[in-house]
Amino acid sequence: NGVIITQNIFRKNFPGITVNIQKGENSVVKPEKGEICEQFTAYYLNPEKTADEDFNVDYISNSNLNNNEPLLNRKEMIKLNSVSQKIENQMNRYWKKNRLNPVDIEFKIVGEKTDLYIKQVRPFND
């Protein structure tokens, strides 16, 4: 389970997405007492270049339900970043916005093939 904000909410003047994710069916929005979600920002060091080696992740916290190990590998994070940027672009076209406004995306990653499912997308109001 996870939530993506297509904005770096910790450093407003820097690019990136902010991801909050938890293992299994456990809630990200209302975690049980004592549960800590994984939270990170992901971004390309140079937004004009999207080479995998330029992709960076800053962890804020790790999930204590996964022995404080990352829930996603680098390839999965790059895919999540790419998909979220495409969704943001499409939704802003749909909403007829003249500039990119961040979106709030609820997602789920399922199975051995780590299939990504988008559950909901809405405008992000900070």
Side-chain angles (χ1 to χ4, degrees):
N1 280 327
V3 175
I4 303 166
I5 306 299
T6 58
Q7 175 181 2
N8 185 336
I9 63 172
F10 297 101
R11 295 181 178 177
K12 300 266 189 220
N13 296 326
F14 289 83
I17 62 171
T18 304
V19 179
N20 213 348
I21 188 170
Q22 187 55 284
K23 185 176 183 175
E25 298 296 323
N26 299 63
S27 177
V28 172
V29 179
K30 294 181 182 180
E32 295 290 326
K33 186 175 182 179
E35 288 182 2
I36 300 171
C37 297
E38 179 170 298
Q39 189 172 42
F40 60 88
T41 56
Y43 53 92
Y44 284 96
L45 294 173
N46 182 350
E48 284 78 41
K49 296 181 181 177
T50 56
D52 289 356
E53 60 268 8
D54 290 330
F55 188 74
N56 197 34
V57 177
D58 293 333
Y59 285 94
I60 290 90
S61 62
N62 291 100
S63 169
N64 63 347
L65 300 182
N66 199 46
N67 298 318
N68 294 315
E69 294 293 324
L71 291 167
L72 303 176
N73 63 39
R74 185 173 181 79
K75 183 178 175 185
E76 293 164 338
M77 289 182 214
I78 290 171
K79 178 181 177 182
L80 204 58
N81 183 72
S82 174
V83 168
S84 65
Q85 297 305 318
K86 288 175 185 173
I87 290 170
E88 180 185 68
N89 287 333
Q90 286 298 110
M91 295 311 295
N92 278 280
R93 271 193 219 128
Y94 176 75
W95 293 322
K96 299 184 177 163
K97 303 286 183 183
N98 293 330
R99 62 184 181 86
L100 287 181
N101 292 300
V103 295
D104 177 337
I105 303 167
E106 289 184 33
F107 70 96
K108 188 160 187 78
I109 297 176
V110 180
E112 290 180 21
K113 293 184 181 180
T114 61
D115 295 322
L116 175 62
Y117 294 92
I118 303 302
K119 296 166 40 174
Q120 179 174 309
V121 178
R122 60 184 165 256
F124 175 67
N125 300 312
D126 52 347

